[in-house]
Structures are given as structure tokens and as C-alpha cells.
Amino acid sequence: MINWDDARFFLALARRGSLRQAGLELGVDQATVGRRITLLEQQLGAKLFIRTPRHYRPSPLGEALLPQAEAMAQAALAMMRTASLGELEGELCIATTDTLAQGFVLPAFTLLRQRHPGIRHSQRAPRAGRSRGQTARHYQDGALRLSRLPG
């Protein structure tokens, strides 16, 4: 059975074409990438890459496995997004105009709160003379303003 950790190494080498570049993507050294690929090939009993002095390219079997490895990567990312989205909570302060708040910000927060009830919203109107990111006695997480398009 191929696990996600093995597939990560396979996918990184297939994408990058070199042990060094795959190692940089994965945050490990090139020897670790080479060792993991060799172990995976031994486990499968087949070569996944054609090695040249400068490049690794997927073998016919490697090409056939690439779509499944990509699917595993997408599934892992989806799992991480789902897990992290469930933990959103806290106050989000946006400085904006009343017009933008009514037409955009408040409806967007309504949708956001449906998915993440732990999020609280506050809105502050920016005042003249305040530094960017600062309102009367508070700090904001973001600001939404209208501007003219250049040109």
C-alpha cells in the first residue's frame, strides 16, 4: 500500500525532476528523497523514474501513477482545509464606510458566521488623522475602501 508520505516524495520528484529540488520543496535533503524513492520502488517492485545524469523523469509506471498521486495531494489539502476551517473563532474588526458595510461587508459576515459561529464581527469607521490600521482606541484587522481605477 502506498501511503501519503510516500506519495509526497514521488510527486515532488516527478514535479521537480531532481533530488535536490524535490528536497527543497519537501524541506529535506536530497539523500532523504533518494532513499525514500528507492524504498518506494523496492516496495512496489518496479522503477518509478528513469534516471539520467541531470534529471529524473517518471517511467511509464510513474506516469500511470502520477494522476493518483495528484489526487492524493488534493485530498490531503482538502482534509487540511476542512480541519482548519472548523477552528475559526475570535473577533474580526473591519474599518470601512457605511455604504460598503451595508452592501458587502455585513452580508459577507453573515455567510461567514453561518460556517463559523465562533467569529464575532465589529466595524469601525476610520477617522481622519489616524494612522493606517488604527481607529479611535482600537486596531482593525483590515480596511475596505473605494478608490478610482488608474488610467
Side-chain angles (χ1 to χ4, degrees):
M1 174 186 282
I2 297 176
N3 67 40
W4 166 234
D5 208 38
D6 292 335
R8 267 182 348 118
F9 280 82
F10 166 71
L11 199 51
L13 186 55
R15 287 176 177 161
R16 301 296 180 185
S18 79
L19 296 174
R20 184 175 179 279
Q21 291 300 314
L24 289 172
E25 179 180 316
L26 296 166
V28 299
D29 62 36
Q30 64 190 42
T32 301
V33 176
R35 189 170 46 253
R36 295 291 300 268
I37 294 298
T38 298
L39 289 171
L40 180 58
E41 289 177 333
Q42 288 173 352
Q43 178 187 353
L44 296 173
K47 293 289 182 192
L48 296 174
F49 293 94
I50 298 168
R51 292 150 174 89
T52 66
R54 291 184 164 185
H55 193 72
Y56 280 67
R57 70 180 165 90
S59 67
L61 176 61
E63 287 286 346
L65 293 177
L66 208 48
Q68 287 90 352
E70 290 280 359
M72 287 177 82
Q74 292 303 315
L77 286 173
M79 290 174 71
M80 290 300 294
R81 278 193 301 271
T82 300
S84 67
L85 288 178
E87 299 172 11
L88 294 179
E89 62 181 43
E91 183 174 0
L92 184 60
C93 179
I94 301 291
T96 191
T97 65
D98 289 337
T99 303
L100 284 174
Q102 292 299 319
F104 178 74
V105 175
L106 294 176
F109 268 108
T110 300
L111 294 173
L112 186 63
R113 291 237 15 216
Q114 287 174 357
R115 291 186 74 177
H116 308 288
I119 292 180
R120 295 175 311 283
H121 163 254
S122 64
Q123 177 188 337
R124 306 222 192 309
R127 293 188 180 167
R130 300 284 179 197
S131 66
R132 179 176 282 183
Q134 183 182 10
T135 58
R137 287 178 317 242
H138 304 286
Y139 286 86
Q140 66 215 28
D141 297 305
L144 192 60
R145 296 181 179 91
L146 290 176
S147 67
R148 292 180 190 253
L149 290 176

